[in-house]
Amino acid sequence: MTNIESDDPNDYARSRLDRGMEMQRRGFLDVAIPYYTEVIQFEQVDPATLIDACGKRGECYLKKGDLEWAIKDFDRVINELPEYPDSANVYKNRGTAYLGTGKFDRAAEDFTKAIELKPGYANAFRLRGIVYCRKGEYNRAIEDFSVVIALKPNYAKTYYNRGIAWLHLGEWERAKSDLMNSSSMKMDTIAAFRDEYQSVADFEQKLGIQVPVDIIPLLRRG
């Protein structure tokens, strides 16, 4: 860690940033945020350290669910230092915050930008797929989930996500295959489904469909 006794004000700012990052790594987000804020408010900090602090504070706000505050910090990183080395992650983070606030179009734009900056960014593809599902664009969602599965074939949640998208399209065999794959990877598909939908009956009523009986055990207990 940087010596905080240094006469260089940037050394002091960097030491505060390092301390905040350590607290963040340990999960003490409410302790980390004031360190980042101190750096951001410091008058003599170099731009790279300032932007690092904004990005890290935004991550803390995102994890805490303070989404509007997170977006403000990510905005500052993107607007003030567009060539930031980890810009793909910043766009992904801001897209995640937009997704949480229901701004699906803006979220999709950010995930797309993240993918442009970092081709093969599996998490950005996965999150954009979730956005497309929320917008009812299930074919586009399936395309993104399929990319993720090609990149990370052992990621159970993506098989579940794609399986649900197939359900919406009435592609029963494909849905069943994906749901079975996610279940075989020890994912609790029933709990995941319950988090999204009240019940199988509610799902059927909203979509005006009837889920085949051989799929129901993957979505409901008993």
Side-chain angles (χ1 to χ4, degrees):
M1 184 178 293
T2 306
N3 181 4
I4 65 173
E5 299 300 326
S6 170
D7 291 332
D8 186 342
N10 283 306
D11 284 350
Y12 178 79
R14 192 76 206 182
S15 75
R16 302 290 87 188
L17 177 64
D18 288 346
R19 185 62 174 161
M21 291 169 65
E22 175 62 23
M23 293 297 100
Q24 184 178 353
R25 279 193 294 269
R26 293 168 61 183
F28 302 131
L29 304 181
D30 288 327
V31 178
I33 288 171
Y35 282 111
Y36 296 141
T37 299
E38 183 180 359
V39 176
I40 292 165
Q41 294 175 343
F42 196 51
E43 293 181 356
Q44 295 175 288
V45 66
D46 69 85
T49 302
L50 169 66
I51 295 304
D52 276 342
C54 282
K56 291 297 182 182
R57 190 175 69 173
E59 290 175 5
C60 290
Y61 283 139
L62 179 61
K63 195 161 188 179
K64 281 167 56 66
D66 296 333
L67 303 182
E68 295 297 341
W69 286 105
I71 289 168
K72 289 178 182 179
D73 276 344
F74 298 139
D75 281 346
R76 188 168 183 181
V77 177
I78 289 166
N79 294 333
E80 294 190 17
L81 198 64
E83 300 304 318
Y84 185 67
D86 201 16
S87 290
N89 191 52
V90 178
Y91 276 103
K92 186 269 295 181
N93 285 337
R94 191 175 69 174
T96 303
Y98 279 135
L99 173 58
T101 60
K103 297 176 181 176
F104 300 138
D105 289 336
R106 299 197 70 171
E109 289 173 6
D110 274 355
F111 296 138
T112 298
K113 182 65 176 179
I115 292 165
E116 290 173 358
L117 292 168
K118 186 178 177 181
Y121 195 171
N123 202 23
F125 275 106
R126 181 184 69 84
L127 289 164
R128 192 174 66 176
I130 290 171
V131 170
Y132 289 146
C133 277
R134 299 281 177 86
K135 295 179 66 179
E137 299 177 14
Y138 298 107
N139 284 309
R140 297 182 75 180
I142 287 166
E143 289 179 7
D144 277 353
F145 295 143
S146 296
V147 170
V148 179
I149 289 169
L151 293 168
K152 293 189 173 183
N154 296 321
Y155 193 15
K157 185 64 180 288
T158 308
Y159 285 99
Y160 168 81
N161 291 144
R162 193 174 67 175
I164 296 300
W166 286 126
L167 280 182
H168 280 84
L169 295 176
E171 295 280 356
W172 309 124
E173 289 305 314
R174 288 173 169 173
K176 181 180 178 181
S177 176
D178 276 346
L179 292 171
M180 289 181 68
N181 274 326
S182 62
S183 181
S184 70
M185 295 177 190
K186 309 303 181 184
M187 179 178 173
D188 190 340
T189 58
I190 294 172
F193 185 80
R194 192 189 311 119
D195 286 342
E196 293 187 79
Y197 306 98
Q198 292 182 4
S199 64
V200 173
D202 180 64
F203 180 83
E204 291 177 326
Q205 183 176 7
K206 287 179 178 177
L207 272 64
I209 61 173
Q210 186 171 359
V211 176
V213 293
D214 58 335
I215 296 178
I216 290 177
L218 295 165
L219 305 173
R220 185 182 69 195
R221 302 191 197 281

